[in-house]
Amino acid sequence: MRIYVETLISADIDQVWRTTQDLALHQRWDLRFGRITPLPSGHMRYSTLGISGTAVATGNRDGPGGTRTSALRFGSTHPLSPIRSGSGYWRYLPTPNGLRFLTLYDYRPRVLPGRLMWWATAWSFDRLRLWLETGLTPERALLRALAEVAVRGAAVAAAGLALPLWAALTVLAAAVLWPPLPGTPAARRCLRHRPTAEHRRATENRTTENRTTENRVAAEDRAAAEHRPTTQQRPTTEQRPDSEHRPASEHRSRLEAPCPRSSSAHSAPASTASTPSSSAASASGSTPGRPASAPA
């Protein structure tokens, strides 16, 4: 089974690293472990409600941009242990908005459901965040959480005794769905799945750069087109030659060369070559007839 939890902490990476790597500090905020003690072999022993297991750090690594990673293996042979064995890592990723603190681990469960394991991990992460951001100690954060649960439970019990069934159910739904107070740890404030933006950040940056370049080139093309000489532009309605605005019949008459005819030859067919008689007729000022039709 795989568990992923991520939170954003407004704290320095060294502070988060020390609070999570120091065993005495780790056991204060992590709900999954009641006590963590180092062993002479380099391993560590963790115990919760009398159920113990062992863990060993498999290595730490510093990455680009100030990132850090801490890997771990753990397991327990106790028959009541919720986890048989597993391995995972913690990752510390500085960002302009804060430190992304996340964990990803796989484990073989015994009796503990995966959803409950995720809730315990996420609740602990938010408890750590409150400690580093506001100074609220993990012990006081636990007391606040218990007090809030008690108040909600009392409200539901009172509603069930004094109100009708539908009103009591409404109070129950509000008690379950209403977000916890800002000073109370809440698992719902953490991410349950790896954000897709982490996988697409590099491609999105490249896409943004490409789009910026494309927009700049397009803007330059538009600016060049607006300042182009008039002879290179397609003539607008006001700039088009007069021939394009003349009536269609007049424009057609200019394209179709009429064959002048003499006034005496009304039925003679038009000829492509000018005849002496037609030239004489034109010279004498006779009116040309209708243009000849195209040959079939």
Side-chain angles (χ1 to χ4, degrees), residues 257-260 269-275 278 292-293 295:
C259 296
S271 173
T272 56
S274 298
T275 61
S278 62
S293 59

Side-chain angles (χ1 to χ4, degrees), residues 194-261:
R194 187 188 301 274
T196 56
E198 182 178 355
H199 299 286
R200 296 184 299 182
R201 184 172 290 110
T203 56
E204 286 179 352
N205 291 339
R206 288 195 297 269
T207 302
T208 303
E209 294 175 358
N210 293 339
R211 288 178 178 175
T212 303
T213 304
E214 293 172 359
N215 293 337
R216 185 175 65 251
V217 172
E220 293 174 354
D221 291 343
R222 287 194 299 269
E226 292 174 357
H227 294 83
R228 234 177 245 165
T230 308
T231 55
Q232 295 182 7
Q233 296 180 357
R234 183 179 179 182
T236 59
T237 305
E238 294 78 5
Q239 298 172 346
R240 289 178 183 174
D242 296 338
S243 61
E244 295 184 15
H245 297 281
R246 293 177 180 175
S249 58
E250 183 179 354
H251 187 61
R252 191 182 304 112
S253 64
R254 291 174 58 88
L255 297 179
E256 298 176 356
C259 296
R261 301 181 181 180

